[in-house]
Amino acid sequence: MRALKAAWLLLVVFTLGGCWDRMEINDLAFVTGTAMDVQEDGSLFCTLQIAIPGSKEGTGGGGKGDSGSFYLVSATGNSGNEIHRALQKKSSRQLFYSHRSVVFISERLARQGINKALLDVFTHDPRNRLKTYIMIVKGGDARQILELNYPLKQVPLEVVNEMQRTGDEVAVTLRDFFIASQSEGIQPVVGVLELGDHLADKKEQIFKAEGTGILKDLKLIGLLDEKETLSLMWLTNKLKFGRISAQLPEDYGEIGVMLNHTTSKIVTHTDNNGIRFNVTLEGTGTVEENNSTLDVSNSAQMTMIKQAMENSMRMQAEQLLVKLQKKYKADSVGFGQEVYKSNPGKWKTIKKEWDTQFQNARITVDVNLTVNGAGMVHSTLQHE
């Protein structure tokens, strides 16, 4: 009986004693952003943005680079683990990555290849969350994004909020990237940022979204501009909102439409003559800008506007597909994945030859738009 009571007492003590390996918040250094660059000798240069303890802005409220809300630490190495050890030695607190929002990678490093050693750290280390965004910095070093004095909010968090709000820019998480890189018949893409203009205070600088990075075999091989990015997002069924415009026939002028709902459907046809794809893009939008002589309240003229918008978007999508097929030779839309889903047996026979098959695949695009209303005015002010 005494032995039983002693056992119960020990159980209570251990239960109430807390977690033996618990890490106190005062012992943690909260990493909010990471930048990866490559040096002349090929080694990696990693910079961490760390929230300063006690700062109200440090973990999400915002603040300027010189306001004391965060600080930067950097280290070099040839692998992710080597760099992490070097960074940890520079911090008196345990580096904690669960609050990190973005990993920035320089264009130069991305073109050399997002090597396996780097990616393994982000996939196998449980301290990293897969909801972290990954973005390429066009031009200079990735660490410049973390170093700049941004006038609104702490940079990584501002990037995430902006990507989530707009719905017309490529926003790829580590999870999305790893899934695409390991999936059948598709190459991953990554959002691109570029440093923008200096403000009145020369120490303050902004950044801007600059399209999409096209990758093949984990190497950056090309960049898409704003219009090409919109087409890519529509083709991949990821476009939430988007502004499109078209020149009307017979020199009537230009019309702008705000898309608020889009869908994409890819139908695969396989036969003895090869593989064909038919892509149907559908969307709903509102006339947002009328720089034409047409009256958008007139049903016949609205039909003309609708057809012009559809033709413009079809040509835009077709031009992007030709670029992916002939210039970059990268299936960033996932046509191979559609073959894999619809006909796994066929995919098994062409998988090793898909690079060549994709370049020669016949792809047709149909666009169906529904244009509702005319915004705040029914026609151009020239009619008033």
Side-chain angles (χ1 to χ4, degrees), residues 108-353:
R108 183 183 173 197
L109 174 58
R111 288 191 181 277
Q112 292 184 14
I114 306 175
N115 57 62
K116 189 175 185 295
L118 173 61
L119 294 179
D120 277 349
V121 174
F122 293 127
T123 53
H124 297 158
D125 191 337
R127 295 167 296 190
N128 298 287
R129 64 173 185 172
L130 294 180
K131 290 184 178 180
T132 300
Y133 285 82
I134 178 172
M135 307 198 78
I136 291 174
V137 178
K138 182 181 178 180
D141 295 329
R143 64 177 177 271
Q144 290 179 281
I145 295 290
L146 298 183
E147 291 172 348
L148 67 82
N149 188 8
Y150 192 66
L152 296 179
K153 294 182 179 180
Q154 187 177 344
V155 176
L157 299 182
E158 176 65 14
V159 172
V160 175
N161 293 335
E162 186 67 16
M163 295 298 102
Q164 291 176 336
R165 185 182 68 82
T166 60
D168 60 352
E169 298 289 349
V170 172
V172 177
T173 64
L174 287 172
R175 177 181 178 274
D176 299 331
F177 183 83
F178 294 136
I179 289 176
S181 63
Q182 296 297 318
S183 296
E184 301 277 359
I186 189 171
Q187 295 286 344
V189 298
V190 179
V192 177
L193 290 181
E194 184 178 28
L195 288 173
D197 300 327
H198 288 276
L199 303 181
D201 182 350
K202 295 300 181 182
K203 293 182 179 180
E204 293 186 344
Q205 189 175 8
I206 61 175
F207 62 89
K208 59 181 179 178
E210 195 63 21
T212 306
I214 300 298
L215 285 86
K216 187 174 182 179
D217 300 327
L218 298 183
K219 291 184 178 181
L220 178 67
I221 59 174
L223 300 173
L224 301 182
D225 61 22
E226 181 180 354
K227 286 186 177 181
E228 292 168 334
T229 294
L230 185 145
S231 296
L232 177 67
M233 293 188 67
W234 199 343
L235 286 165
T236 54
N237 216 16
K238 295 178 181 178
L239 183 65
K240 297 178 182 178
F241 306 98
R243 290 178 171 83
I244 59 176
S245 60
Q247 288 289 338
L248 299 176
E250 302 180 19
D251 297 325
Y252 280 121
E254 185 179 66
I255 286 287
V257 170
M258 178 65 181
L259 295 171
N260 49 48
H261 179 73
T262 64
T263 61
S264 171
K265 182 179 180 181
I266 300 176
V267 177
T268 305
H269 303 277
T270 57
D271 52 39
N272 295 332
N273 295 322
I275 300 177
R276 296 178 290 111
F277 299 95
N278 178 252
V279 183
T280 302
L281 303 179
E282 296 189 345
T284 302
T286 304
V287 175
E288 192 175 64
E289 185 177 13
N290 182 13
N291 294 320
S292 73
T293 59
L294 298 182
D295 184 356
V296 296
S297 62
N298 183 293
S299 59
Q301 295 184 7
M302 275 298 294
T303 299
M304 182 187 299
I305 291 172
K306 174 180 179 295
Q307 291 175 346
M309 298 299 302
E310 290 175 344
N311 291 336
S312 176
M313 284 310 306
R314 186 185 70 253
M315 291 178 58
Q316 190 171 310
E318 289 174 345
Q319 289 170 359
L320 170 63
L321 292 172
V322 170
K323 194 171 190 176
L324 293 176
Q325 286 182 283
K326 305 302 182 182
K327 182 178 180 179
Y328 296 143
K329 300 177 177 59
D331 184 2
S332 304
V333 176
F335 290 101
Q337 194 171 71
E338 292 298 321
V339 178
Y340 171 72
K341 291 178 180 178
S342 62
N343 194 336
K346 179 68 174 180
W347 173 252
K348 187 176 181 179
T349 63
I350 66 171
K351 176 179 178 180
K352 294 181 179 179
E353 302 174 355

